[in-house]
């Protein structure tokens, strides 16, 4: 049992779980927009997510990331370098338009993680702003990249789907922001710090409503799209209701981050019956 728990914790701490969520969101994009996803892109996003998240979590300074004393973090570091090797391999099979988009998203990720001005903090240190930057990167990776890889035009429906994906990430980040309220420095000025937990949950509820009803602005609305968004709409309602400041150890790090995985399973199954 102890070994199982250690493996599970490594699965979470090494960002494999969040990478699986990114992979599932890519597959959901393919199903909703009815495109064939480039599996090289899917694998690239999976492995590069592991690298990026571990870099951000365990040391944005090179010397902190390379010179690791803690054995557990050393294992994560080795795993990250292996993931980097796979990401580089799959990157050679990507379309040039995908590379351009990745470059822009990579710049956002760099601004999020690394200080770019003398005596300045990175944008991750600006609590309210970091939420929107994470949302932009996730939306770009999980919608724009597969669309460009499939040589599909960036239509209005694609941009609406991108906007919805951005809103999904904002909602999923809310439990983390509320959880970290008791640990974050007041200088961060995160959304819960600025407006309180109740108002943050109300604002998140409004975002959930916008997320669902903006679907009707699409030129082409498929039954699968409505079912997929409807399921997530209801699930988000429960998430907003039950998110508290005091959470179980795995509430946010596993269950909340598992939303895209569960969503993919449901959408994948529903696709066979529509």
């Amino acid at each position: 049992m102890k070994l199982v728990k250690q493996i599970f914790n490594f699965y979470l701490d090494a960002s494999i779980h969040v990478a699986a969520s990114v992979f599932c969101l890519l597959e959901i994009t393919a199903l909703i927009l009815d495109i064939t996803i480039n599996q090289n892109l899917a694998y690239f996003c999976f492995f590069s997510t592991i690298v990026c998240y571990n870099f951000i979590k365990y040391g944005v300074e090179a010397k902190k990331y390379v010179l690791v004393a803690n054995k557990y973090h050393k294992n994560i570091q080795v795993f990250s370098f292996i993931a980097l090797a796979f990401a580089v391999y799959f990157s050679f099979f990507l379309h040039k338009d995908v590379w351009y988009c990745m470059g822009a998203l990579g710049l956002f990720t760099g601004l999020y993680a690394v200080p770019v001005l003398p005596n300045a903090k990175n944008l991750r240190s600006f609590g309210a702003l970091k939420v929107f930057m994470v949302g932009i990167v996730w939306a770009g990776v999980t919608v724009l990249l597969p669309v460009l890889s499939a040589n599909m035009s960036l239509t209005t429906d694609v941009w609406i789907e991108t906007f919805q994906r951005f809103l999904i990430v904002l909602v999923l980040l809310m439990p983390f922001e509320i959880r970290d309220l008791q640990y974050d420095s007041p200088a961060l000025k995160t959304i819960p710090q600025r407006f309180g937990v109740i108002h943050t949950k109300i604002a998140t509820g409004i975002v959930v409503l916008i997320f669902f009803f903006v679907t009707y602005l699409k030129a082409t609305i498929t039954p699968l799209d409505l079912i997929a968004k409807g399921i997530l709409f209801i699930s988000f309602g429960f998430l907003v209701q039950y998110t508290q400041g005091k959470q179980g150890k795995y509430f946010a790090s596993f269950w909340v981050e598992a939303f895209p995985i569960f969503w993919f399973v449901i959408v994948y199954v529903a696709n066979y019956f529509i």
Side-chain angles (χ1 to χ4, degrees):
M1 192 67 184
K2 183 179 179 181
L3 178 62
V4 173
K5 186 176 181 180
Q6 289 176 338
I7 293 174
F8 180 69
N9 285 332
F10 185 85
Y11 168 77
L12 296 179
D13 294 338
S15 305
I16 304 172
H17 190 52
V18 68
S21 294
V22 169
F23 185 91
C24 287
L25 287 175
L26 285 160
E27 297 293 339
I28 289 171
T29 298
L31 291 170
I32 290 178
L33 297 180
D34 193 24
I35 60 177
T36 300
I37 193 168
N38 183 338
Q39 290 304 310
N40 290 312
L41 172 65
Y43 295 139
F44 168 80
C45 290
F46 175 83
F47 289 111
S48 60
T49 297
I50 291 174
V51 176
C52 290
Y53 265 76
N54 288 344
F55 180 67
I56 291 171
K57 285 195 296 185
Y58 299 112
V60 296
E61 295 179 22
K63 63 180 181 180
K64 289 183 179 180
Y65 198 64
V66 175
L67 303 176
V68 180
N70 183 287
K71 182 178 179 181
Y72 184 66
H73 288 168
K74 187 71 175 180
N75 292 334
I76 293 176
Q77 178 196 49
V78 171
F79 180 77
S80 299
F81 281 124
I82 294 173
L84 176 61
F86 278 104
V88 171
Y89 170 76
F90 288 113
S91 69
F92 287 110
F93 301 97
L94 302 181
H95 191 274
K96 65 176 182 178
D97 290 340
V98 176
W99 274 102
Y100 296 145
C101 187
M102 284 195 309
L105 295 173
L107 177 61
F108 265 87
T109 304
L111 291 174
Y112 175 79
V114 181
V116 293
L117 295 174
N119 301 319
K121 298 180 179 179
N122 55 38
L123 294 181
R124 188 186 184 193
S125 302
F126 297 89
L129 180 59
K130 74 171 185 180
V131 173
F132 296 101
M133 293 199 67
V134 172
I136 290 172
V137 172
W138 274 60
V141 168
T142 63
V143 180
L144 295 183
L145 289 187
V147 167
L148 292 173
S149 181
N151 292 318
M152 180 180 177
S153 301
L154 296 178
T155 63
T156 301
D157 284 2
V158 171
W159 286 114
I160 291 175
E161 186 67 31
T162 304
F163 177 63
Q164 287 182 302
R165 198 62 53 85
F166 169 76
L167 296 180
I168 287 174
V169 177
L170 294 189
V171 174
L172 292 178
L173 285 173
M174 181 270 296
F176 292 90
E177 294 292 290
I178 292 177
R179 180 199 65 183
D180 294 340
L181 182 60
Q182 56 185 319
Y183 308 111
D184 287 337
S185 167
L188 287 176
K189 296 182 179 179
T190 63
I191 294 176
Q193 286 176 337
R194 288 172 178 265
F195 305 107
V197 173
I198 298 299
H199 288 96
T200 298
K201 294 176 70 171
I202 292 173
T204 305
I206 294 173
V207 171
V208 172
L209 289 172
I210 295 172
F211 155 75
F212 179 72
F213 287 106
V214 78
T215 305
Y216 291 97
L217 297 179
K218 287 186 172 182
T220 302
I221 306 175
T222 65
L224 180 63
D225 197 6
L226 283 177
I227 291 173
K229 302 297 168 54
I231 291 170
L232 206 56
F233 173 70
I234 295 171
S235 302
F236 279 162
F238 286 105
L239 178 65
V240 172
Q241 181 179 358
Y242 289 108
T243 295
Q244 304 295 332
K246 294 183 178 180
Q247 304 173 5
K249 181 180 179 181
Y250 299 115
F251 177 78
S253 61
F254 177 75
W255 293 109
V256 174
E257 287 189 346
F259 261 69
I261 300 173
F262 296 142
W263 190 35
F264 166 69
V265 173
I266 294 172
V267 173
Y268 185 81
V269 172
N271 188 49
Y272 277 98
F273 296 96
I274 295 176

